[in-house]
Amino acid sequence: MRFLLVKTMPEAHCYSQFVNSLDRALTGLGHETVVSDQHVHVVDRAADVSHLVAELQRGHFDVVMSFSSFFGAVTLQSGVSLFDALGVKFLGWQLDHPIYTPQALDRRLQARYSIYSNHNHVRFAQAIKLPGRGKAMLPAGEPLGEPVREWRDRPRTLLVAATWNGVPQAPWEGLPDTPAKKLLVGVIDRLLADREASLVDAFNQTAAKLRLPAQLGASPAFDDQMIAFLRDPLTYVRHVDRIGVVQALADAGFPMTVCGAGWRGFLGERPNVEYIDEWVAFSDLPSLYGSAKLVLNLNAGNGGCERAIQAALAGATAVSDHSEQLAGLFALGEEAAFFNRAKPGHVVDVVGRLLESGKGEAIAEGGHRKAMRAALWTHRAQELVAYLGG
């Protein structure tokens, strides 16, 4: 196959780093690849698509791949998708819930191949009757570019790398007591109680309980309204989860390193907490993971799984909230440890057992072996080609 791999972010961004890795992996499998840096054409957060169009017309590509489906909504004046008109498969790889990426939900693109990080994202796309094909597939990682340290010799006990997003404000505050407010509160309550945060289930079950004639997939116009309605609740839940888990670990007194500007102001100075207040480049994170015995992965239940994979490749024990995809890669208690994000106290129990029992080292070794066998970009490239050829 001949691939056009589109870069839409600065070189230091994880999307661009993933494009570089995928480029090497596909080339190693014998496929032709061209990396198109469209970020250089972005002005005031808007991209001039004429450069991409010209490249497509010259290149005779089979597949155009873009993380977060950037450029996936480009159409001709007739309203037909650019990629459908050219007979090119468009592959949008979502590393987050598609509700945050309108271009991933554009219904004009018919020859769409979508990759999602979570099976619930596939269900969401199916529920709103999105054209094309969808598949759940984890991202991948690269082997550590330095010797892997012995687990017991690592200077950090627990590493938490997480962007500080501030204390979330309840989106229902100030709203009158209407059916819409009850629906919003019900969705949030169900998401907070669901360890894998199924937006489809939370919405449809809440609407049924309230006896509201509302269901995702009723019509494109209704779905578009609900997408805008549901984005804030999902974001609220993610922020609540993050704060609850990190604070529970800090309060438990575990020696931990928190990477991400803003956490110091929230958690305060604590004898058990070391802060890394500066931004750390994505390419430097694996080395940081390699300095820690345990690395916390957050938001896996909603798709964020790359940190767990990178931690395992760096020889650390990956401690993650539950994800069906991650649990399919790493065996529970042998190659990774999982906690229930709906119960923040559970992460304290999991981390405590790993440190007290000494089993963390064995899990780290098992996770590293599995990641090297099944979670490198060459493995994902093979899976990707099979998906596109099916």
Side-chain angles (χ1 to χ4, degrees):
M1 290 187 184
R2 183 168 168 79
F3 289 83
L4 182 68
L5 307 177
V6 182
K7 281 187 179 179
T8 58
M9 296 291 180
E11 191 64 25
H13 195 278
C14 65
Y15 287 1
S16 295
Q17 297 292 308
F18 288 169
V19 166
N20 293 339
S21 296
L22 193 55
D23 176 39
R24 290 190 293 269
L26 288 168
T27 301
L29 294 175
H31 298 278
E32 295 182 60
T33 61
V34 174
V35 175
S36 175
D37 188 354
Q38 292 298 314
H39 178 259
V40 299
H41 304 303
V42 174
V43 178
D44 294 331
R45 303 184 69 180
D48 181 352
V49 300
S50 64
H51 303 282
L52 179 63
V53 172
E55 198 158 17
L56 282 169
Q57 290 174 330
R58 289 193 305 267
H60 304 290
F61 296 98
D62 300 303
V63 181
V64 176
M65 197 289 299
S66 171
F67 283 104
S68 217
S69 289
F70 287 116
F71 293 104
V74 176
T75 58
L76 304 179
Q77 289 184 344
S78 62
V80 175
S81 163
L82 167 68
F83 307 100
D84 289 338
L86 293 176
V88 178
K89 295 177 180 178
F90 181 87
L91 173 69
W93 195 323
Q94 274 61 246
L95 295 173
D96 205 339
H97 198 292
I99 200 170
Y100 296 112
T101 52
Q103 64 272 13
L105 303 175
D106 192 288
R107 295 181 177 85
R108 293 169 294 185
L109 175 59
Q110 301 298 309
R112 171 193 284 107
Y113 287 72
S114 295
I115 292 177
Y116 304 101
S117 295
N118 187 288
H119 75 287
N120 280 324
H121 300 178
V122 180
R123 291 181 58 217
F124 180 83
Q126 293 170 340
I128 65 172
K129 299 180 176 64
L130 198 66
R133 301 177 62 188
K135 176 181 175 63
M137 187 188 302
L138 291 172
E142 299 278 12
L144 195 65
E146 58 192 65
V148 177
R149 292 191 191 190
E150 291 291 333
W151 192 86
R152 63 191 63 188
D153 295 335
R154 297 178 177 221
R156 293 186 170 97
T157 300
L158 171 64
L159 175 70
V160 179
T163 302
W164 169 252
N165 296 307
V167 178
Q169 300 300 309
W172 62 84
E173 288 182 354
L175 293 178
D177 192 18
T178 63
K181 178 179 179 177
K182 292 177 181 177
L183 179 61
L184 179 64
V185 173
V187 168
I188 289 173
D189 287 344
R190 287 179 183 271
L191 287 175
L192 286 171
D194 181 355
R195 69 188 305 188
E196 288 204 56
S198 168
L199 202 55
V200 172
D201 291 344
F203 180 83
N204 289 342
Q205 291 171 8
T206 302
K209 182 178 180 180
L210 295 173
R211 298 184 179 181
L212 296 175
Q215 189 171 36
L216 290 173
S219 72
F222 175 78
D223 290 341
D224 289 344
Q225 288 181 329
M226 290 304 99
I227 286 168
F229 178 79
L230 293 170
R231 195 174 289 127
D232 284 346
L234 186 60
T235 302
Y236 174 82
V237 170
R238 294 170 69 163
H239 292 177
V240 168
D241 283 347
R242 177 168 302 201
I243 287 176
V245 169
V246 175
Q247 185 159 25
L249 289 169
D251 290 346
F254 296 120
M256 60 189 292
T257 301
V258 181
C259 178
W263 285 103
R264 185 191 298 268
F266 176 73
L267 294 173
E269 299 295 340
R270 299 172 182 239
N272 63 309
V273 180
E274 171 198 11
Y275 293 100
I276 300 177
D277 294 314
E278 60 188 23
W279 177 78
V280 178
F282 182 79
S283 58
D284 294 334
L285 285 173
S287 181
L288 188 60
Y289 300 154
S291 72
K293 294 180 175 70
L294 279 61
V295 172
L296 189 73
N297 182 66
L298 296 165
N299 199 36
N302 195 46
C305 297
E306 57 269 20
R307 198 180 308 283
I309 293 170
Q310 290 180 315
L313 287 168
T317 306
V319 182
S320 177
D321 59 316
H322 188 268
S323 152
E324 182 177 305
Q325 274 58 55
L326 272 183
L329 173 64
F330 295 120
L332 172 64
E334 297 178 9
E335 298 164 341
F338 295 99
F339 63 88
N340 185 348
R341 51 156 282 275
K343 300 177 180 179
H346 188 232
V347 71
V348 175
D349 297 336
V350 171
V351 169
R353 286 196 300 269
L354 289 172
L355 295 176
E356 292 169 8
S357 68
K359 196 174 181 181
E361 182 173 6
I363 293 176
E365 291 173 354
H368 183 257
R369 287 193 298 269
K370 175 58 73 65
M372 292 295 291
R373 289 200 311 268
L376 300 178
W377 277 106
T378 186
H379 303 126
R380 285 305 160 271
Q382 292 169 343
E383 193 175 354
L384 174 64
V385 170
Y387 172 50
L388 290 167

